[in-house]
Amino acid sequence: YLKQKKKMNTKILTVVLPKVSVIMPIYNTALYLCEALDSICNQTLQELEIILINDGSTDQSQNIIEKYAACDPRIQWHIQPNQGQGVARNHGLQYATGEYIYFMDSDDILDTTALQHCYDTCESKSLDFVFFDAEKIMETSAYLPGYNRKDKISDKIWKGTELLEYELEQYIFSASCCLCFTRHSFIQKYFNGFPAGIIHEDHIFVIQIHLNAQKVAYINQAFFKRRVRSNSTMTNKFSMRNIEGYSIVCSKALLLSQQHPEWSSIIDRYLLQTLNAIIWNAHRMTFLEKIETVCRFRRLSFNKYITFRHWLVFWFKRSHNLSQKNKEKE
């Protein structure tokens, strides 16, 4: 943004940095992209830069991107070969100049008052980040855990480690970066980038900002509208791709624990909850995939976090789909 000032008959142009940089990776979401972009372009907070990263889309996403960019000068777009959301977000961060960073998904919707509310809260309380809740837009019957923490987190300024420990104790921790609004200088100091080429990459971002933050607050609003649809990362069948992503994220968390012994008890709790949830979901995999998972977990020193009960589920629980197929054959 440029502001013109007249002084001694001379025009002086001063550059005003945007208040928020919105970074949106886009991959084959043309069906939903207009709704996502409308929810950002129509924010009540207007001082934005909107950074769109086309992650090698093969549908009509690029046409939509160019159409919106032609109408809104705050939009800039870049194209990269398909490398996943983590690389796309890292790419977007290279161009970001805003005081705050918000990561948006291209198939979801953000309440149009969200960024103003988050910005005002961070500025008035000098916070490192704020976080909020989400509602689900159901387009499939697939199960996803809820994102609503209403009345479960007190309205106060938290230290990040205190907050993370509380969320884990109450089983209300959510690792979605789309629910966090973060000071840019804080990210530059404490976060060195999303892991490349994996899913579940936002876990390590949310963990790191919690561990390093001195001042955090919760906004008791479901600003984010999460679309639960078929063939998305969250609803696809649990597979080795999930195991690979979680393995990298949990390895990075374990390394943080070794580098910062003061965080070890909190990170151990995170690993205990996350790895047991992974093993429970992995009961749907094939026998060979299970063997590969066990070997991987042993190599990465994850086995100590898995309870006997969860190993029983992993090896012996029959998936609903398999039982249904057997019934159909009968």
Side-chain angles (χ1 to χ4, degrees), residues 289-300 303:
E289 287 175 330
K290 289 182 178 182
I291 292 293
E292 184 178 346
T293 298
V294 170
C295 293
R296 182 190 296 262
F297 275 32
R298 181 177 300 164
R299 185 175 69 253
L300 296 174
N303 284 352

Side-chain angles (χ1 to χ4, degrees), residues 21-80:
S21 296
V22 179
I23 298 172
M24 183 189 294
I26 298 166
Y27 179 68
N28 287 350
T29 52
L31 288 175
Y32 313 103
L33 185 54
C34 288
E35 276 191 283
L37 286 171
D38 285 343
S39 75
I40 296 300
C41 294
N42 295 325
Q43 288 288 311
T44 55
L45 180 68
Q46 289 289 296
E47 296 93 333
L48 309 176
E49 66 175 357
I50 303 166
I51 304 170
L52 309 181
I53 307 296
N54 184 346
D55 186 31
S57 296
T58 57
D59 64 359
Q60 294 300 308
S61 292
Q62 184 59 30
N63 292 337
I64 296 171
I65 290 169
E66 292 179 21
K67 174 185 172 184
Y68 273 77
C71 298
D72 194 329
R74 300 172 300 172
I75 294 176
Q76 57 174 287
W77 57 267
H78 309 272
I79 298 178
Q80 65 178 36

Side-chain angles (χ1 to χ4, degrees), residues 129-288:
F129 74 94
V130 294
F131 64 107
F132 46 86
D133 286 338
E135 295 174 347
K136 291 182 283 189
I137 304 172
M138 300 301 296
E139 294 188 357
T140 177
S141 59
Y143 169 76
L144 278 185
Y147 301 93
N148 193 337
R149 292 162 284 194
K150 184 178 180 180
D151 301 325
K152 296 179 181 177
I153 301 177
S154 63
D155 181 19
K156 70 173 188 176
I157 296 178
W158 296 76
K159 185 174 180 181
T161 49
E162 175 194 12
L163 172 65
L164 179 57
E165 188 168 27
Y166 174 79
E167 289 178 293
L168 291 169
E169 286 175 354
Q170 300 299 314
Y171 292 89
I172 56 174
F173 174 68
S174 177
S176 171
C177 64
C178 295
L179 304 184
C180 300
F181 178 93
T182 314
R183 192 177 295 273
H184 193 178
S185 58
F186 174 75
I187 291 179
Q188 290 174 317
K189 185 174 182 179
Y190 293 110
F191 184 64
N192 56 10
F194 293 90
I198 66 168
I199 56 177
H200 311 302
E201 75 291 330
D202 46 358
H203 271 245
I204 199 63
F205 171 79
V206 179
I207 286 290
Q208 280 193 278
I209 63 173
H210 273 77
L211 291 172
N212 287 286
Q214 295 301 310
K215 298 177 73 176
V216 187
Y218 165 64
I219 298 175
N220 187 7
Q221 296 284 341
F223 285 139
F224 192 65
K225 317 302 177 186
R226 168 75 73 190
R227 194 183 302 275
V228 183
R229 60 183 177 87
S230 301
N231 301 317
S232 71
T233 299
M234 299 301 294
T235 59
N236 279 335
K237 181 183 176 184
F238 197 90
S239 67
M240 286 306 300
R241 189 173 177 226
N242 299 89
I243 296 293
E244 290 162 4
Y246 279 124
S247 294
I248 289 173
V249 165
C250 290
S251 293
K252 288 182 175 293
L254 200 55
L255 181 60
L256 285 174
S257 179
Q258 294 164 359
Q259 294 171 340
H260 299 272
E262 69 275 18
W263 296 343
S264 60
S265 63
I266 301 173
I267 292 175
D268 279 351
R269 186 184 289 270
Y270 164 77
L271 291 171
L272 181 71
Q273 289 186 17
T274 302
L275 290 167
N276 278 292
I278 293 166
I279 286 298
W280 191 95
N281 281 293
H283 80 267
R284 301 176 179 87
M285 299 196 306
T286 67
F287 179 75
L288 289 178

